Amino acid sequence: MTDAAIAKTTTKGNGVKLAVVYVTCLFFIWALVTNLLDPLLKTFKTVFTLSPVEASLTGFAFFIAYGIMSLPSAAFLSKFGYAKSVMVGLSGIVAGCFIAIAAAKLHVFGVFLVGLFVMASGVTLLQVAANPLIASMGKPEESSFRLNLSQAFNSLGAACGLWFGANFLLKGDIFKKDIVITDVLREQALGFVSNVYFAIGVGLALFILLIFLVRQKITDAAPKTGHLVNPFTALTSKWANLGAIGIFLYVGAEVAISLHLLLFLEQTRILDIPSEQAGKLTTFYMVFAMIGRFSGSALLKVFKDYFLLALVAVGAIALSLVVILTKDMTPTAHAGTVNLLLASAPVTTGLIPAFAALLIGLFNSIMFPTIFTLTLQRSSAPTSATSGLLCMAIVGGAFLPLAFAKIEELTGSISMGFAAPLVCYVYVLWFAIVAKKAPTHEIEEGVAGGH
């Protein structure tokens, strides 16, 4: 190989590495934005005095965007490429942030829902572009490893979103028990919401400028696009559909638990702690997911992806059952406090169901990226179309929390709500088992795989 050829290869390699760094930042960003929903749900439930189902509309408004915008996002990606898709997606999040700020000033819950939908539309385009982008950057057999590693930073962003939200959204007397809620307290709580989304909007506007400066490096490292692909072609592939169901149920389960975790932990019959303290504890849900993804990335170097997916599904099923079966347990009185760095927790038998719920995050860890890559490797449809369908399936995050909340209303028990995610994890286990024998192919735009 000539010196010029070596230099060209090295430059391309460096370009891919830089592109991976920037795309991994996107995973962090959308996770932070998404996981502000959890403390936001508590804020809205308190400020607007909402029922469990009404409060769950925050998650519905956000995740329904995946159902509406994913296939159009896939078409946009196939036509305009990865760099433009990333910049447009980030712009959508910024626009949603400023709509949320306007809603805080107007004190209108419905306008908040519009802002969340716009934010999620931007996140949807980022997801459609970033997941196959990371999966295709390198050796095909290591695609699950790469996506899991990037998703580990997604979990870091999620943990930061939960901790950030607990510290900056759940402040003030309005969250104290038995407090009389006044207009002044409402104004203060919504002011915190405005401050958080202003900071995010400004930060992302600066990141868009950074992406614009390196857009060519991302384009050079990305799979080639330029012609419009009909996103509905994904529906002709058996594996694209099976994977979409898997993503729908997994995301629905993860979001349903996440959105109700703070309310679950603060209950008298669980930990009996203030909302802010419970909010900080929910951070561990995503910290465990981050640990699972980093360790899962390493384990995927040794074990088959479908084997690890089956293993974590069994773990999630077992922990969901622990939460459900302890629904009538009477916790012991607090016997001190244990400091867990990010938060503190009382010493009580209520820690059993509390940490069973939090530990589900560890077993959730590799589900999304592994289902995603298992599907891309088996789908007979173009990659952009399959990615669009899989991202559309994230709409499960809109519906499963409502099912969770409805079970809670019917039974009077948040613990029983975990029956909804339990069913989802059973499907993930089945998906992992049947994926073992399916034919596979490299993740490329025009490659046909097994049906």
Side-chain angles (χ1 to χ4, degrees), residues 325-387:
L325 295 175
T326 56
K327 68 181 180 66
D328 295 322
M329 183 184 76
T330 302
T332 57
H334 292 186
T337 302
V338 56
N339 188 350
L340 301 171
L341 296 180
L342 296 173
S344 59
V347 178
T348 168
T349 52
L351 284 174
I352 296 172
F355 270 91
L358 290 169
L359 275 169
I360 292 176
L362 179 67
F363 293 93
N364 277 340
S365 59
I366 70 163
M367 286 189 186
F368 182 90
T370 306
I371 293 171
F372 211 99
T373 51
L374 283 171
T375 304
L376 289 178
Q377 291 167 345
R378 289 159 178 76
S379 172
S380 60
T383 296
S384 60
T386 303
S387 178

Side-chain angles (χ1 to χ4, degrees), residues 7-319:
K8 184 177 180 180
T9 301
T10 302
T11 301
K12 183 178 179 181
N14 291 336
V16 171
K17 290 177 182 177
L18 185 62
V20 168
V21 170
Y22 282 116
V23 174
T24 298
C25 288
L26 298 177
F27 281 77
F28 178 91
I29 288 168
W30 80 58
L32 187 148
V33 171
T34 301
N35 284 276
L36 284 174
L37 288 176
D38 307 351
L40 201 62
L41 182 148
K42 174 63 179 180
T43 298
F44 289 160
K45 191 173 190 295
T46 303
V47 170
F48 296 108
T49 318
L50 305 175
S51 71
V53 172
E54 288 171 337
S56 292
L57 289 176
T58 56
F60 182 84
F62 193 92
F63 286 96
I64 196 66
Y66 285 98
I68 297 171
M69 300 304 296
S70 287
L71 294 184
S73 293
F76 185 93
L77 171 64
S78 68
K79 178 64 177 178
F80 296 102
Y82 287 82
K84 287 182 180 178
S85 295
V86 166
M87 288 187 286
V88 172
L90 288 169
S91 298
I93 300 175
V94 173
C97 286
F98 285 100
I99 293 174
I101 293 170
K105 299 298 183 184
L106 296 171
H107 294 205
V108 179
F109 180 56
V111 178
F112 272 114
L113 298 182
V114 173
L116 291 173
F117 178 85
V118 174
M119 274 185 242
S121 297
V123 171
T124 299
L125 184 51
L126 292 184
Q127 289 248 36
V128 171
N131 284 294
L133 181 57
I134 283 289
S136 65
M137 288 179 167
K139 297 178 181 178
E141 64 271 18
E142 294 182 354
S143 57
S144 287
F145 160 76
R146 286 190 301 277
L147 191 50
N148 268 285
L149 187 59
S150 290
Q151 287 282 351
F153 288 95
N154 180 272
S155 296
L156 176 61
C160 289
L162 290 170
W163 189 87
F164 188 72
N167 279 275
F168 293 97
L169 292 178
L170 301 179
K171 296 191 301 181
D173 293 337
I174 196 171
F175 297 106
K176 292 181 179 179
K177 292 184 178 180
D178 302 320
I179 194 76
V180 177
I181 299 175
T182 65
D183 290 340
V184 173
L185 292 177
R186 289 191 179 94
E187 184 73 37
Q188 182 188 52
L190 293 175
F192 293 144
V193 173
S194 294
N195 294 339
V196 166
Y197 281 110
F198 180 78
I200 293 173
V202 171
L204 290 188
L206 294 174
F207 191 73
I208 292 170
L209 177 61
L210 183 60
I211 292 291
F212 179 78
L213 295 175
V214 298
R215 64 192 183 284
Q216 193 56 49
K217 288 185 172 61
I218 292 176
T219 299
D220 292 343
K224 300 308 172 191
T225 58
H227 64 284
L228 184 64
V229 170
N230 181 358
F232 291 99
T233 57
L235 297 173
T236 63
S237 169
K238 168 188 171 182
W239 272 96
N241 286 293
L242 290 178
I245 295 171
I247 293 291
F248 179 94
L249 294 176
Y250 157 69
V251 173
E254 182 191 48
V255 174
I257 294 171
S258 178
L259 285 176
H260 293 88
L261 198 49
L262 189 158
L263 302 175
F264 174 73
L265 296 176
E266 70 176 357
Q267 292 179 102
T268 302
R269 55 163 299 277
I270 301 297
L271 295 181
D272 192 20
I273 54 178
S275 298
E276 183 177 353
Q277 188 179 354
K280 290 178 180 178
L281 275 175
T282 62
T283 305
F284 284 98
Y285 183 65
M286 286 304 173
V287 168
F288 288 141
M290 180 179 65
I291 293 170
R293 280 173 176 164
F294 276 118
S295 58
S297 296
L299 290 172
L300 283 166
K301 289 282 191 177
V302 181
F303 299 101
K304 295 292 186 181
D305 43 10
Y306 49 76
F307 171 78
L308 283 181
L309 182 61
L311 191 64
V312 297
V314 170
I317 290 169
L319 290 170

